[in-house]
């Protein structure tokens, strides 16, 4: 089995960029939702837009649906960014930890 490293790196690079945008959008949506009088009016359009961008970028990276090494890199990048985002969300801030 031959690994197409160019496709893997392309998938990883685009996956990291799109995934970071996805989770930044999620963080902004959560902040807006906390102060919104009707949270569902913020959550639903945001989720639809973020999921749509994530899927469209995945479609573009995989050349219209051909699963391969680019898709593998894209998925690995998403889960790596997701892991880092959840670690950052769990880490208490200095103010919350009682340091200040």
């Amino acid at each position: 089995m031959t690994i197409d490293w160019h496709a893997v790196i392309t998938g990883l690079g685009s996956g990291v960029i799109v995934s970071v945008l996805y989770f930044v959008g999620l963080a902004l949506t959560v902040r807006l939702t906390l102060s919104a009088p009707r949270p569902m009016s913020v959550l639903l359009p945001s989720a639809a837009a973020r999921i749509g961008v994530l899927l469209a970028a995945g479609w573009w990276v995989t050349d219209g649906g051909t699963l391969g090494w680019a898709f593998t890199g894209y998925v690995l990048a998403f889960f790596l960014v997701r892991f880092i985002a959840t670690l950052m969300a769990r880490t208490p801030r200095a103010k919350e930890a009682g340091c200040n």
Side-chain angles (χ1 to χ4, degrees), residues 52-78:
V53 168
L54 191 69
L55 291 174
W59 182 266
W60 175 75
V61 167
T62 60
D63 288 329
T66 56
L67 301 180
W69 293 111
F71 178 75
T72 303
Y74 187 79
V75 170
L76 286 174
F78 177 80

Side-chain angles (χ1 to χ4, degrees), residues 30-86:
V30 169
R31 288 182 186 257
L32 286 172
T33 301
L34 291 174
S35 63
R38 297 184 61 199
M40 290 305 288
S41 65
V42 176
L43 286 173
L44 287 176
S46 172
R50 287 182 289 108
I51 292 168
V53 168
L54 191 69
L55 291 174
W59 182 266
W60 175 75
V61 167
T62 60
D63 288 329
T66 56
L67 301 180
W69 293 111
F71 178 75
T72 303
Y74 187 79
V75 170
L76 286 174
F78 177 80
F79 284 113
L80 177 68
V81 171
R82 180 184 172 273
F83 178 72
I84 293 169
T86 55

